[in-house]
């Protein structure tokens, strides 16, 4: 942050040969994975905080391996209004991440409800549900790390993950109860 409390940003300008396209796609995927905000053709922005540094380095390496060019710049909004617009764009991207996460949590809970309804109480199913919950936990941590400004649905996502965990624990108890019946 600067002395005037405006967020500092890292901008990455990437230019990669059109062919083969796999190089452009690899850089694009890396930047999307770390939560960089696409501002236009080959221009990406991310807050200047440590959580983005490793992804930025990987994207730079990928661009160089592709015989492309990457330029990294430091930036801030020219005035408070510009700074707020960029912050709002970044937060909207995180909000979209949280919305997708919440939708997957709902699918996970529906899946557990279906297994309970169908009395599918097997160790194999329990392991599958545990893997799904671990995937949700990793995803939550990833989004949380990138959500520098606190998107509105972050709190709801934390609560929903707790609900998923509680549902999984209930399902676990049902599986072991069914397995230990004589």
């Amino acid at each position: 942050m600067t002395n005037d409390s405006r967020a500092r940003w890292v901008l990455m300008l990437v230019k990669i040969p059109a062919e083969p396209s796999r190089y452009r796609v690899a850089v694009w995927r890396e930047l999307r994975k770390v939560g960089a905000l696409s501002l236009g053709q080959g221009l990406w922005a991310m807050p200047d905080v440590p959580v983005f540094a490793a992804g930025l380095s990987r994207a730079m390496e990928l661009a160089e391996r592709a015989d492309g060019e990457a330029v990294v710049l430091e930036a801030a909004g020219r005035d408070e209004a510009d700074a707020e617009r960029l912050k709002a764009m970044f937060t909207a991207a995180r909000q979209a991440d949280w919305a997708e996460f919440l939708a997957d949590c709902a699918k996970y809970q529906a899946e557990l409800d279906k297994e309970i309804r169908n009395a599918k109480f097997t160790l194999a199913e329990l392991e599958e549900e545990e893997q799904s919950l671990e995937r949700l936990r990793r995803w939550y941590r990833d989004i949380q790390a990138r959500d520098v400004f606190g998107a509105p649905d972050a709190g709801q996502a934390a609560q929903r993950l707790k609900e998923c965990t509680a549902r999984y624990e209930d399902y676990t108890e049902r599986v072991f109860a069914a397995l230990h019946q004589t």
Side-chain angles (χ1 to χ4, degrees), residues 38-170:
S38 174
L39 296 176
Q41 187 70 20
L43 181 60
W44 297 83
M46 59 203 87
D48 190 6
V49 295
V51 72
F52 297 99
L56 181 64
S57 292
R58 285 190 301 271
M60 293 281 297
E61 289 171 16
L62 289 167
E64 289 170 7
R65 273 193 252 152
D67 292 327
E69 297 179 69
V71 176
V72 177
L73 306 166
E74 293 180 358
R78 186 178 59 197
D79 57 29
E80 195 63 38
D82 286 337
E84 284 303 311
R85 275 193 292 277
L86 189 53
K87 182 179 172 181
M89 290 167 63
F90 186 83
T91 300
R94 298 297 71 82
Q95 181 67 12
D97 291 343
W98 286 126
E100 186 179 353
F101 175 81
L102 288 167
D104 267 28
C105 284
K107 289 176 190 173
Y108 178 75
Q109 290 174 321
E111 174 68 19
L112 285 175
D113 290 345
K114 183 185 87 172
E115 302 306 356
I116 291 169
R117 202 171 40 255
N118 294 336
K120 190 170 182 183
F121 301 125
T122 66
L123 288 176
E125 189 60 38
L126 180 63
E127 186 175 323
E128 185 178 311
E129 299 304 341
E130 181 179 31
Q131 289 171 358
S132 294
L133 181 59
E134 282 307 311
R135 183 187 63 78
L136 286 172
R137 286 177 175 151
R138 282 190 308 274
W139 190 10
Y140 175 85
R141 285 189 302 267
D142 289 347
I143 299 171
Q144 185 182 39
R146 295 189 306 254
D147 190 8
V148 178
F149 305 112
D153 280 350
Q156 183 183 355
Q159 182 58 40
R160 186 66 62 86
L161 184 57
K162 286 179 188 176
E163 292 168 9
C164 287
T165 301
R167 286 263 186 91
Y168 170 76
E169 289 169 0
D170 174 64

